[in-house]
Amino acid sequence: MAQTPRPPQTITKEGALVVNVGKPIKGMNNDRLVAGGGSFVADVQPRGVATMVVLRSPHPNARIKSIDTSQAQAVEGVIYVLTPSEIRENTNPIPEAINTRALGAQYAPWYALCVERARYVGEAVAAVLAEDEATALAARDLIEVDYELLPVVPNAEVALAEGAPLVEPGWTDNVLIRQKLVTGDPEQAFKDAAGTVSGRIKSARIQASPIETRGVVASWDQHRKRLTCWSSTQAPHVLRTYLAEAMRLSENDVRVIQPDVGGAFGIKCPTTQEEVLTSYMAKRTQRTVRWIEDRQEHLLAAGHARDVEAEYTAAFSSDGAITSLQMRMIADVGAPIALAGWGMAYVTWLCVPGPYKIANLETELIAVVTNKSPWQAYRGYGKDTASFFLDRVVEHVAKEAGLPSSVVRHRNFIPSNEFPFMQPTGAILDSGNYAGTLDQLLEKLDFEGFAARKAEARRQGKYLGIGLGQELTPEGFCMPGSLYAGYEASTVRVTPGGDVSVLTGVTSPGTGNETGIAQIVADALGCSLNRIRVTQGDTDSCPMGSGNYSSRSLMLGGSAAHLAALEIKKQMTTVAASMLGVSADTVSITEDVFSSTEAPEATVTFSEVVQQVYLFPHGKHMDNTDPGLDTTKSFKIGNVYHQPEVDGKFNGYPTWSNASSGAIVEVDPETGVVKVEKFVLIHDCGPIVNPLLAEAQLQGAITQGIGSTLYEFVAYDDEAQPITRSFMDYTMVTSQEAVDIEVGHQNTPSPFTPLGTKGVGESGVGSPPGAITAAIEDALSDLDVRLTELPVTPSRLWTAIQAAKTNVMAEAAQVPEKEMV
């Protein structure tokens, strides 16, 4: 049903002629980075820096009986060996990114070293600091740990079994959180249905793999009693607060600097064990300490994602309307820790039924802990899993109803005139035109004409198929009681020379959002883009902000910068009006020049107004005007409801981007090899600030989505030992698997941001699995292959093809000869 939300913030879109927003302007940092001028954490090497390495558990569940560090400490060049007992005595547990107890979830304290038990292979047990890496590694191998092996919980099935060992002995069971929702009358809808479908779907455990692994450099100033921490992080201010709490310091005594970041994808959200370890070691030894993660450590301990299985039953009418959906989701989130990764399971549950209007719904989420590596945030943050599950359900309904899946999607979409729309989960979808994106997609794919192309390819011995996917991507996540909040601050400062500095709390993991922010500010001020420099990632200079996550950089940080720039422009307009001898309401600025409709022949430049402000603060043009051109504004987005006690509503996502996608694939039925020939995505994130940046984000996300569909998975054996320990085992898309990707856009503005913008960074990764699996099934339609588990590797597909061939032969054998004729 349509909802009437609280009125959105009304922000006047006054200002200069738009000359930058909407243009594909090259990233401001591109030339520097391409030329090798970047400065990443590994490049931060102050004089006298020492190297820290971490000893990690080889066991998935083991009690630490004792640790002997004497041999390691005796190695020449070793500075210090840190053990769990010291960490427990001198630090607090790492603060939770999402308050588990506030959401009714079970809690487990997590320290920088495992203080009693190691609960997954790769958990930090001890740390060694030495003058160089080789010495540190040699000493680490001399640490002797006496482990008592404990019963292992290797997967969700074992975790939920009666009498299962407890991953956390103090818990009542292995369920971290359970959520259930029933709305309408699902049972009656099933009785009245024309047909029903049911099945099981599974999304594999995967991992973010940025070019730059995690890294930290920490230095303690003994004279100022102050910690400086350089970290490849997504949220410097959040890290500062959590580091201070973990290390029992004042926030004034902690400075966090984010250098250039070589990719993040969520896996660098704070606060990790290594950030606390490095900082504590620096304070303890009075040395500058450096820790740079190697790739094996990253695969073991940086965190995983997905690993969710769903059972569903759907009822439908003869015209393809889904009248009822029941879905039970079980997520294996690994060992419980303080990071935000487990929240992805909650978001998967929240995003069902996605873009579809289904009146009768029954969903359940069971997030269980096991002795696998914990979840950490990863691009898509659970929305991608929901998209895949819903795509599989829609395809199944379409097949059973004998309808094209495009018809079933159209039949079930939320109508565009019913936004803002509240889903049964309480999620309030701000705006959308889902039918519009799908219609554009069908036209670009020549969907209706594909059957002839498919038939011609089959005559040539090629198996071509086409498939559709749909994604709904809520962005701007904000959680009460957490620093991951729905507001952001930016400072805009004009110098006496007329340069413009923008300092913002949002950061860039290499996406180029600083260029988009500069475009927004340039247009709001009416000045040229080359005046502007954006500063990010330093807690000493930038205003408090939550950093980069959930595609919030332009949506929130850009909006805050927009408001600050408008305030500066208003101040400058008042001065310009005095200089021109006209009324302020007649003055406008375009390309650095103020003019007035009252006196069109007279103009004054941006620089001339700035000089009046700074050089003549007591002059006649500055009467009743504050000196200085320096403003900090915060932007708190609407459509966030954190007061369920008042109106029964809870919504943590203010904007909901969406996309329709289509894949054309070629399948080799003899080998199970799939080649994605073409992928088309029509995306809607409202007005686009910089199409070049947006398309780059979507191209990369689609590639990641293809990787999780066909290649990527983290494997464990039955004893929770990881098998994928290097890129020899964990396969990703490379240039050899390059795909022809085409991106199109639709513009449905959000009513809750000044420019109508929504997020784009997490879009594009959610719909490839559904589109590609549907295309594979279409290519093999005569065999009725059903794909229910990711990734669709050649061996897995080949096995499915053989099973389908067997079924076809068995069915043929049962048909009477006269019917076969």
Side-chain angles (χ1 to χ4, degrees), residues 501-586:
S501 296
V502 182
L503 300 99
T504 177
V506 297
T507 60
S508 172
T511 59
N513 62 47
E514 67 281 347
T515 305
I517 291 172
Q519 290 175 253
I520 290 171
V521 171
D523 283 354
L525 284 176
C527 69
S528 58
L529 188 65
N530 58 16
R531 289 184 181 272
I532 298 175
R533 175 170 293 179
V534 178
T535 300
Q536 302 170 296
D538 187 338
T539 58
D540 267 12
S541 58
C542 296
M544 173 66 197
S546 298
N548 173 267
Y549 70 93
S550 198
S551 307
R552 65 194 301 279
S553 298
L554 294 187
M555 180 170 52
L556 291 173
S559 294
H562 174 79
L563 297 182
L566 287 181
E567 189 160 309
I568 293 287
K569 193 201 69 158
K570 182 178 181 181
Q571 184 181 355
M572 292 184 68
T573 299
T574 300
V575 176
S578 177
M579 295 172 70
L580 293 169
V582 299
S583 300
D585 58 6
T586 69

Side-chain angles (χ1 to χ4, degrees), residues 782-806:
D782 51 336
L783 292 177
D784 193 26
V785 171
R786 297 290 179 93
L787 301 175
T788 59
E789 185 172 354
L790 297 180
V792 186
T793 59
S795 60
R796 186 172 284 165
L797 179 56
W798 185 87
T799 300
I801 291 170
Q802 304 316 305
K805 285 181 177 178
T806 301

Side-chain angles (χ1 to χ4, degrees), residues 134 137 154 233 298 381 391 429 511 524 578 673 709 779 811 814:
L137 290 170
T233 183
H298 187 85
Y381 203 76
D391 275 339
L429 285 53
T511 59
S578 177
V673 171
T709 307
E811 291 174 4
Q814 295 175 9

Side-chain angles (χ1 to χ4, degrees), residues 330-342:
I330 299 175
D332 180 346
V333 302
I337 57 172
L339 297 176
W342 70 268

